[in-house]
């Protein structure tokens, strides 16, 4: 088991390096950042001066090396926009996004599994179909539209929660609800089909023959074995949440990494973009690794290899 | 529809002392006129069509039949674990020690399942939960039905594993099903089934998936345990050698109906139904030289579309006009020997 | 051990297994009311896409500043003309017409990118599953890597390089979702690879290409098409997000996403600007998802019985 964890950490490191390289490549492909900084009409000599200053005229390999070593030290350059180092900017916004993400996850995951299990217990009942339609609705909605609708209905008309800004419950609830909707949809669907698939297996019949109530059969036996595909889906949903966070943060003005990324992209602020991509991928890699470890622990067949 | 007669008290040849215990006339398990159907979009599948049998203490009742004869569905209906929908028990009664199980509240049934009536299945490794240790699954029974604490239950589980002759029980209790061989898994199942000293053990093709030598070991184990505890065993199988070894009485099923019931000797020496005769003939014999393997011509009927009259008539060499229209009723052939064939006398003579 | 259903009761007396025909599929689909509605809705959308010029009451780009931000069900300026059923936008353009033309854009983008990523993903998945070894390793590593990456971020990065616009959006959406097809195709290829009929084909001397195209592909078509249907829904949503953020299609195109973004600032004064296009997206995606889900139930023999029988008890 420990060997497995070490292997996963190494894998994560390799993926991080590859990601950084990709970011580097994309950064160079995007176009000449210099003109953005000093203006389109600037003279060619001035452009070359700035390029020298920024080290953009050095051979690519040198740039690459400088980039990678800098990144590993935590230095990802200076923002074109604010002229301050990028990493601190990103890291400063990180807690807000994590806060939002955690609230969303706490809302979404337990609810999704509960819904999925309920639907699986009585397939094709009206409860199941309601849950199914809600789940389908979840994956059919665009987050930003949902956000706008929520804002319209709840905040503007009724005036309950806050529609923008950072803070406690009343600030975070709308963004979290918006973000949670899609994962709830997907995870509950996956939970339902995973549990139904498990319920088809022979050991379920044997469990019933042992005198276990239907509740016990579903929640103890089926759920534990169904947890494996459910966790896999949950892992995929982390990427969805981060995806959605970019849009949701924009609509609600939530000062997190997502909003920063969008701003950086609109301003073509390359170093900042590189920094945000690095942090976002870092988060995903870490979450996936943790989930992988959890998955391995739950699946005895893999654990004892 | 005419009711088939209930088989009377059997003559048990294994444990005469237990025979006296049930002297008050009560049977352990009494199944009467059981009907189970499955409603599918292609039609209604009539899996069990009026089945009767009786099990007494210390007795081994074998249910013999091909795939699709309704033998497994029948016992699932006894346990009340037929998957519903699409399966429905539409008629009949199942009495355990005189108490009617059909129509009982689910939580009452849960108390009986595993406790008074236990069941073991064909592919033991598939019927054990792959996500929990073997020890946990056995102790689950004890914690559930007897309310034992975790430590007590674990201790008892190890004892049970010892009893079914699983070596190194203490260590192996912490292993997962996929770490055991097929035969060992079946022993685990037996340990689980026996954990609460059930009165009835239903074994649904327990040895079909095992090697012959392991098969012998498992059957031997069951036999010993039965002698110790005096429980009744319902053994479902299509393997005649297994029946010949352990059964006291045999119920032959075809197309969801009982076609013949009798003691092991009666069935083997005096089969009174063409299907039973056919089954006996299918077994290759060492003492006779034959050119071809015998078969029963034709194939089992489609349960959505059962033939009218006697379900076996399309494949029967004795079939006559009466067989096409009239469903045979169980008639008494001899003491505690019944056959559902219009012309059983001819069958007896011919054999 | 015999259990449920007619499958393990052997052949019927006639000896022929029953066949599910396409007609039966269709009937099965329509037997479920929600699926039936979904199909009808999609047909309507499709018609409006193809015949937008005929169906739309107004020219979607013609502005009319006297009719700015009119609420739904506003009568037209000229008598006898079609009313503005869904209102007008800040430039006086009829929303219903823009919605209809927007359907064309959204569907076009969705279908084209699904086609491209589907083809790309299927081929890569097939190759990975069939040849295994290094090819498989490389492709699957790539799949895993991209699966975990937020697709929006990736899309935005690529758009940064390419610049916004119709073709960029299609390209981006195509390369962002090929992995799901690859995974599916690979899984099925792996399963089929071991079957006797593929072995037989090999023994008979069929070339690899022939095996792949004549034997493997037809068996995989169904699930992949269903996946494609699901994907189109997701791609429509994706395009909307990209356009909303300003990186996708640009004005004056009438993309649903753009319409919503345009309505954002008028949320309290002219709510219909943002709400209506959103509903259009919602119902389209919902119908596609429902159709895909029902298709899956009906083509999978394991789920089919249950799904068909659900109404009757």
């Amino acid at each position: 088991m420990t060997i497995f964890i070490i292997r996963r950490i190494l894998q994560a490191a390799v993926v991080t390096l590859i990601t950084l390289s990709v970011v580097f490549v994309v950064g160079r492909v995007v176009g000449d950042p210099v003109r953005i900084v000093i203006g389109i009409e600037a003279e060619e000599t001035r452009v070359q001066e700035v390029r020298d200053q920024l080290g953009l005229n050095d051979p690519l390999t040198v740039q690459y090396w400088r980039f990678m070593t800098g990144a590993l030290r935590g230095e990802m350059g200076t923002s074109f926009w604010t002229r301050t180092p990028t990493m601190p900017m990103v890291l400063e916004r990180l807690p807000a996004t994590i806060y939002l993400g955690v609230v969303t996850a706490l809302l979404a995951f337990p609810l999704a599994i509960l819904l999925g299990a309920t639907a699986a217990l009585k397939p094709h009942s009206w409860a199941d179909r309601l849950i199914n339609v809600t789940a389908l609705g979840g994956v059919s909605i665009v987050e930003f539209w949902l956000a706008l609708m929520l804002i319209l209905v709840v905040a503007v008309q009724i005036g309950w929660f806050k529609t923008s800004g950072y803070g406690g419950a009343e600030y975070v609830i709308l963004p979290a609800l918006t973000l949670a909707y899609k994962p709830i949809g997907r995870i509950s669907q996956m939970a339902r089909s995973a549990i139904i698939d498990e319920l088809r297996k022979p050991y379920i019949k044997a469990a019933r023959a042992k005198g276990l109530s239907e509740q016990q059969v579903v929640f103890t036996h089926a759920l534990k074995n169904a947890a494996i595909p459910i966790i896999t889906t949950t892992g995929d949903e982390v990427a969805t949440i981060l995806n959605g966070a970019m849009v949701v943060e924009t609509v609600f003005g939530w000062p997190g990494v997502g909003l920063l990324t969008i701003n950086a992209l609109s301003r073509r602020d390359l170093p900042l973009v590189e920094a945000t991509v690095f942090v976002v991928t870092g988060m995903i890699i870490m979450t996936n690794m943790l989930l992988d470890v959890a998955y391995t622990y739950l699946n005895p067949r893999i654990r004892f290899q | 529809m005419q009711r088939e007669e209930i088989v009377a008290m059997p003559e048990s040849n294994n444990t005469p002392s237990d025979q006296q215990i049930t002297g008050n006339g009560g049977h352990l398990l009494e199944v009467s006129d059981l009907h189970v159907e499955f409603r599918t979009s292609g039609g209604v599948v009539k899996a069990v069509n009026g089945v009767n049998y009786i099990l007494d203490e210390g007795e081994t009742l074998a249910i013999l039949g091909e795939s699709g004869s309704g033998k497994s569905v029948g016992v699932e209906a006894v346990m009340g674990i037929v998957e519903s929908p699409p399966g429905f028990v539409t008629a009949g009664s199942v009495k355990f020690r005189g108490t009617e199980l059909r129509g009982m509240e689910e939580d009452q049934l849960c108390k009986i399942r595993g406790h008074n009536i236990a069941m073991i299945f064909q592919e033991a490794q598939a019927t054990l939960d792959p996500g929990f240790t073997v020890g946990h699954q056995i102790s689950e029974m004890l914690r559930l039905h007897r309310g034992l604490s975790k430590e007590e239950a674990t201790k008892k589980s190890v004892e049970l594993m010892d009893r079914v002759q699983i070596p190194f029980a203490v260590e192996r209790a912490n292993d997962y099903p996929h770490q055991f061989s097929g035969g060992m898994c079946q022993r685990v199942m037996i340990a689980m089934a026996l954990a609460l000293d059930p009165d009835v053990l239903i074994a649904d093709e327990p040895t079909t998936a095992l090697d012959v030598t392991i098969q012998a070991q498992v059957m031997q184990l069951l036999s010993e345990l039965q002698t110790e505890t005096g429980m009744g065993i319902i053994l479902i199988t299509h393997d005649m050698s297994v029946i010949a070894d352990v059964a006291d009485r045999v119920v032959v099923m075809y197309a969801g109906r009982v076609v013949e019931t009798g003691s092991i000797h009666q069935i083997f020496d005096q089969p009174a139904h063409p299907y039973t005769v056919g089954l006996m003939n299918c077994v290759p014999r060492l003492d006779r030289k034959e050119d071809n393997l015998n078969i029963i011509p034709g194939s089992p009927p489609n349960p959505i579309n059962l033939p009218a009259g006697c379900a076996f008539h399309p494949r029967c060499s004795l079939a006559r006009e009466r067989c096409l229209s009239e469903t045979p009723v169980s008639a008494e052939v001899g003491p505690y020997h019944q056959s559902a064939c219009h012309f059983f006398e001819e069958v007896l003579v011919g054999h | 051990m015999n259990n449920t259903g007619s499958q393990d009761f052997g052949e019927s007396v006639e000896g022929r297994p029953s066949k599910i025909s396409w007609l039966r599929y269709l009937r099965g689909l329509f037997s479920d009311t929600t699926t039936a509605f979904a199909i009808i809705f999609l047909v309507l959308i499709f018609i409006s896409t193809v015949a937008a010029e005929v169906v739309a009451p107004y020219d979607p780009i013609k502005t009319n500043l006297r009719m700015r931000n009119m609420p739904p069900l506003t009568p037209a300026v000229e008598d006898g003309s079609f009313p503005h059923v869904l209102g007008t936008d800040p430039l006086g353009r009829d929303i219903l017409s823009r919605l209809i033309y927007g359907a064309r854009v959204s569907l076009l983008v969705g279908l084209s990118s699904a086609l491209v990523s589907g083809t790309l993903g299927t081929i890569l998945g097939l190759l990975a599953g069939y040849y295994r070894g290094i090819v498989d390793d490389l492709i699957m590593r790539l799949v895993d890597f991209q699966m975990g990456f937020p697709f929006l971020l990736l899309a935005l990065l690529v758009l940064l390089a390419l610049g916004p616009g119709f073709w960029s959006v299609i390209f981006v959406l195509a390369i962002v979702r090929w992995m799901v097809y690859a995974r599916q195709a690979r899984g099925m290829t792996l399963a089929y690879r071991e079957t006797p009929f593929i072995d037989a084909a090999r023994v008979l001397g069929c070339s690899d290409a022939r095996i792949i195209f004549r034997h493997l592909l037809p068996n995989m078509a169904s699930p992949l098409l269903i996946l494609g249907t699901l994907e189109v829904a997701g791609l429509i949503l994706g395009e909307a997000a990209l356009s909303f953020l300003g990186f996708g299609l640009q004005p004056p195109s009438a993309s649903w996403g753009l319409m919503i973004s345009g309505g954002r600032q008028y949320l309290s004064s002219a709510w219909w600007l943002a709400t209506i296009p959103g509903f259009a997206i919602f119902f389209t995606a919902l119908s596609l998802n429902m159709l895909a889900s029902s298709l899956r139930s009906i083509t999978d023999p394991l789920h089919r019985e249950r799904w068909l029988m659900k109404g009757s008890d």
Side-chain angles (χ1 to χ4, degrees):
Chain A
M1 183 72 169
T2 18
I3 300 181
F4 178 78
I5 297 184
I6 294 177
R7 253 198 340 173
R8 280 305 276 117
I9 295 181
L10 283 175
Q11 263 180 344
V14 169
V15 175
T16 316
L17 286 174
I18 297 180
T19 313
L20 275 175
S21 310
V22 170
V23 170
F24 175 78
V25 168
V26 171
R28 297 299 161 266
V29 167
V30 163
D32 194 354
V34 180
R35 291 203 176 273
I36 303 168
V37 176
I38 59 174
I40 312 265
E41 289 94 42
E43 278 174 15
E44 187 58 30
T45 43
R46 178 84 181 112
V47 169
Q48 287 307 324
E49 255 179 59
V50 178
R51 284 181 70 94
D52 273 334
Q53 267 178 1
L54 292 174
L56 290 172
N57 278 335
D58 297 334
L60 267 177
T61 38
V62 174
Q63 289 191 50
Y64 183 65
W65 179 251
R66 209 186 304 139
F67 177 80
M68 294 297 268
T69 44
L72 293 172
R73 277 203 310 266
E75 288 164 28
M76 300 270 311
T78 313
S79 155
F80 290 161
W81 164 30
T82 61
R83 311 254 191 252
T84 57
T86 53
M87 273 306 254
M89 286 175 75
V90 179
L91 292 176
E92 183 189 26
R93 306 275 205 132
L94 195 56
T97 303
I98 293 185
Y99 170 31
L100 179 60
V102 168
V103 173
T104 308
L106 285 175
L107 264 179
F109 298 158
L111 187 59
I113 295 184
L114 198 62
L115 284 175
T118 314
L121 260 176
K122 286 200 193 307
H124 306 302
S125 64
W126 65 265
D128 175 29
R129 310 191 71 187
L130 187 66
I131 294 175
N132 192 30
V133 171
T134 317
L136 279 177
V139 299
S140 311
I141 279 195
V142 211
E143 290 100 344
F144 60 87
W145 182 72
L146 180 62
L148 291 175
M149 293 301 107
L150 278 176
I151 292 178
L152 186 62
V153 171
V154 174
V156 173
Q157 305 288 4
I158 312 182
W160 274 350
F161 305 108
K162 297 281 186 274
T163 61
S164 78
Y166 178 82
E170 45 177 12
Y171 286 93
V172 83
I173 188 88
L174 282 184
L177 273 176
T178 315
L179 255 189
Y181 204 65
K182 222 176 201 137
I184 289 181
R186 283 221 192 95
I187 295 181
S188 65
Q189 271 190 313
M190 176 41 114
R192 174 188 181 274
S193 76
I195 294 178
I196 288 185
D197 278 345
E198 283 304 306
L199 288 176
R200 260 181 231 295
K201 295 199 178 147
Y203 72 85
I204 293 293
K205 191 153 248 175
R208 289 197 188 116
K210 278 163 75 169
L212 292 166
S213 72
E214 197 62 21
Q215 230 101 321
Q216 286 165 314
V217 169
V218 170
F219 285 99
T220 315
H221 287 272
L223 196 56
K224 176 161 200 231
N225 288 295
I228 296 161
I230 293 177
I231 288 194
T232 315
T233 312
T234 309
D236 288 339
E237 289 307 304
V238 171
T240 308
I241 291 183
L242 281 170
N243 228 13
M246 289 200 286
V247 178
V248 166
E249 284 180 14
T250 310
V251 175
F252 285 102
W254 183 266
V257 176
L259 181 54
L260 189 62
T261 314
I262 299 285
N263 284 336
L265 283 163
S266 346
R267 292 180 158 79
R268 308 191 122 234
D269 188 347
L270 263 186
L272 194 53
V273 170
E274 287 167 0
T276 48
V277 169
F278 180 42
V279 170
V280 166
T281 15
M283 283 201 289
I284 295 176
I285 291 173
M286 268 210 304
T287 328
N288 274 335
M289 203 185 68
L290 286 170
L291 282 168
D292 256 355
V293 172
Y295 168 100
T296 309
Y297 179 77
L298 276 172
N299 187 346
R301 275 184 228 259
I302 299 193
R303 220 205 303 182
F304 293 95
Q305 265 171 5
Chain B
M1 181 171 154
Q2 297 187 312
R3 273 204 64 185
E4 297 176 52
E5 290 187 87
I6 301 173
V7 177
M9 287 271 295
E11 51 174 27
S12 166
N13 54 6
N14 274 5
T15 47
S17 53
D18 291 342
Q19 181 69 4
Q20 272 99 46
I21 294 176
T22 50
N24 62 358
H27 302 293
L28 201 44
L29 198 64
E30 195 176 326
V31 175
S32 331
D33 197 33
L34 193 60
H35 288 259
V36 182
E37 63 184 34
F38 290 88
R39 299 178 192 153
T40 74
S41 63
V44 176
V45 177
K46 294 198 180 301
V48 179
N49 304 305
V51 158
N52 307 278
Y53 51 79
I54 281 184
L55 180 72
D56 283 315
E57 287 195 20
E59 158 183 77
T60 301
L61 175 72
I63 301 186
L64 173 65
E66 294 170 89
S67 301
S69 55
K71 47 195 205 302
S72 292
V73 179
V75 295
E76 281 176 21
V78 167
M79 291 282 265
I81 56 175
V82 175
E83 192 137 1
S84 176
F88 294 89
V89 180
T90 49
S93 115
V94 176
K95 289 212 182 100
F96 171 69
R97 289 197 191 281
T99 318
E100 175 65 53
L101 295 183
R102 252 202 89 203
M104 212 186 227
E105 286 295 323
E106 186 65 18
D107 49 339
Q108 291 288 84
L109 273 175
C110 281
K111 293 213 181 76
I112 294 186
R113 284 185 209 134
H115 182 187
N116 303 92
I117 309 179
M119 190 160 166
I120 62 179
F121 296 83
Q122 182 173 336
E123 297 231 17
Q125 204 177 77
T127 40
L128 287 170
D129 187 330
F132 290 96
T133 63
V134 149
H136 181 275
Q137 295 187 54
I138 302 179
S139 51
E140 187 177 29
M141 293 282 270
L142 297 159
R143 279 178 284 128
L144 178 72
H145 290 279
R146 289 249 171 86
L148 292 186
S149 74
K150 215 160 154 218
E151 296 82 28
E152 290 171 341
T154 316
K155 220 176 67 148
K156 187 104 201 293
S157 310
V158 174
E159 276 171 34
L160 284 162
M161 285 173 72
D162 260 333
R163 193 169 168 211
V164 296
Q165 295 149 28
I166 297 178
F168 306 111
V170 177
E171 293 90 4
R172 299 228 73 187
N174 291 324
D175 282 342
Y176 288 86
H178 71 273
Q179 295 170 285
F180 287 79
S181 73
M184 283 293 150
C185 276
Q186 195 54 278
R187 289 169 195 271
V188 170
M189 283 235 88
I190 295 174
M192 244 175 22
L194 259 45
L196 300 153
D197 275 319
D199 301 298
V200 178
L201 176 67
I202 303 178
D204 190 350
E205 307 220 38
T207 54
T208 307
L210 303 173
D211 294 335
V212 179
T213 42
I214 311 291
Q215 190 170 307
Q217 286 174 11
V218 171
M219 293 313 299
Q220 169 80 350
L221 177 63
L222 281 177
S223 202
E224 285 168 10
L225 292 168
Q226 181 182 39
T227 317
E228 271 178 48
T229 60
M231 64 184 173
I233 298 183
I234 297 181
L235 177 65
I236 299 180
T237 181
H238 59 261
D239 186 343
M240 295 224 271
S241 49
V242 169
I243 294 180
D245 260 344
V246 299
D248 298 316
R249 298 191 53 74
V250 180
V251 166
V252 182
M253 280 186 70
Y254 186 79
R257 298 187 183 129
V258 173
V259 295
E260 189 168 355
T261 328
S263 78
I264 184 98
H265 297 291
Q266 288 164 335
I267 296 286
F268 272 79
D269 297 332
Q270 303 167 322
H273 192 283
Y275 180 58
T276 320
V277 172
L279 285 178
M280 297 294 144
N281 286 339
C282 287
V283 181
R285 296 179 63 127
L286 286 175
D287 58 344
R288 281 211 292 260
K289 187 159 167 61
E290 278 159 312
D291 288 327
N292 301 312
L293 288 174
N294 292 319
I295 55 163
I296 303 176
S299 30
N302 182 351
I304 294 185
N305 216 348
L306 287 174
C310 173
F312 188 62
H313 81 249
R315 309 166 77 183
C316 183
S317 51
L318 295 179
R320 250 150 271 183
E321 206 173 301
R322 190 175 170 205
C323 305
L324 277 82
S325 51
E326 214 181 301
T327 312
V329 180
S330 260
E332 190 154 325
V333 175
Y336 314 116
H337 183 183
Q338 311 217 318
S339 161
C341 174
H342 295 303
F343 307 106
F344 66 84
E345 297 101 348
E346 287 180 41
V347 181
L348 282 173
V349 166
H351 191 72
Chain C
M1 199 160 99
N2 56 333
N3 222 323
T4 66
S6 43
Q7 281 86 323
D8 46 11
F9 279 88
E11 300 171 319
S12 68
V13 178
E14 300 91 49
R16 251 181 297 119
S18 68
K19 251 198 155 141
I20 298 248
S21 67
W22 280 104
L23 207 60
R24 198 164 166 208
Y25 274 139
L26 218 60
R27 259 196 301 149
L29 282 174
F30 272 97
S31 70
D32 181 37
T33 25
T34 29
T35 313
F37 273 122
I39 297 181
I40 293 175
F41 183 78
L42 286 172
V43 170
L44 283 173
I45 296 269
F46 187 69
I47 291 177
S48 49
T49 304
V50 168
E53 283 83 3
V54 174
V55 176
Y58 285 86
D59 183 347
I61 33 185
K62 178 150 166 250
T63 62
N64 184 351
L65 293 172
R66 278 187 297 151
M67 297 287 279
R68 308 182 63 214
N69 285 349
M70 290 285 139
L73 297 175
T74 306
V77 181
E78 296 93 41
D79 275 325
S81 241
F82 206 74
H84 293 285
V85 180
L86 294 175
T88 61
D89 74 356
L91 291 176
R93 300 176 286 198
D94 176 46
I95 292 202
L96 178 60
S97 309
R98 281 184 69 87
L99 213 62
I100 293 176
Y101 276 87
R104 179 183 278 180
V105 175
S106 297
L107 236 59
L108 208 58
V109 171
L111 283 171
S112 344
S113 24
L115 205 62
V116 175
S117 64
T119 317
L120 181 63
T122 308
I123 293 179
L124 285 176
L126 255 174
L127 290 174
Y130 193 74
Y131 288 111
R132 309 233 49 203
I134 294 202
V135 174
D136 187 14
D137 264 341
L138 268 170
I139 294 182
M140 284 329 278
R141 288 278 159 81
L142 194 55
V143 165
D144 283 334
F145 177 71
Q146 222 185 310
M147 270 305 236
F149 202 83
F151 100 95
L152 198 60
L153 190 55
L154 184 62
L156 291 173
L157 282 174
V158 178
L159 278 173
L160 193 62
L162 291 176
F166 183 74
W167 292 108
S168 312
V169 171
I170 293 188
F171 177 73
V172 156
L173 289 175
I175 64 170
V176 139
R177 292 301 286 178
W178 65 272
M179 314 86 67
V180 295
Y181 302 95
R183 256 197 199 167
Q184 178 85 310
R186 175 184 180 267
M188 293 193 286
T189 309
L190 280 177
Y192 278 117
R193 218 165 157 268
E194 308 303 324
T195 52
F197 81 90
I198 294 291
D199 273 343
R202 229 180 263 133
V203 164
L204 283 173
C206 289
S207 71
D208 280 345
R210 189 182 168 85
I211 293 182
I212 291 180
F213 283 103
R214 286 283 321 265
H215 299 286
L216 286 174
L217 218 40
N219 281 306
M220 308 200 304
S222 239
L224 286 172
L225 279 171
I226 296 177
L227 190 59
T229 314
L230 272 176
E231 281 296 301
V232 171
L235 290 168
I236 292 180
L237 295 176
E239 177 271 315
L242 290 175
S243 305
F244 176 78
L245 291 171
F247 292 91
L249 297 165
Q250 302 292 308
S253 302
S255 142
W256 288 342
L258 268 179
M259 290 169 76
I260 300 182
S261 125
R264 185 176 166 199
Q265 56 191 135
Y266 298 101
L267 201 55
S268 36
S269 52
W271 56 268
W272 56 92
L273 294 175
T275 315
I276 292 177
F279 272 113
I281 299 180
F282 178 58
F283 283 122
T284 310
L286 189 63
S287 304
L288 282 168
N289 279 320
M290 257 183 197
L291 180 61
S293 158
S294 305
L295 272 175
R296 203 186 273 151
S297 296
I298 251 207
T299 51
D300 180 356
L302 273 175
H303 293 104
R304 183 191 298 144
E305 285 304 322
R306 308 216 137 203
W307 194 80
L308 284 173
M309 292 302 286
K310 63 181 160 22
S312 62
D313 45 56

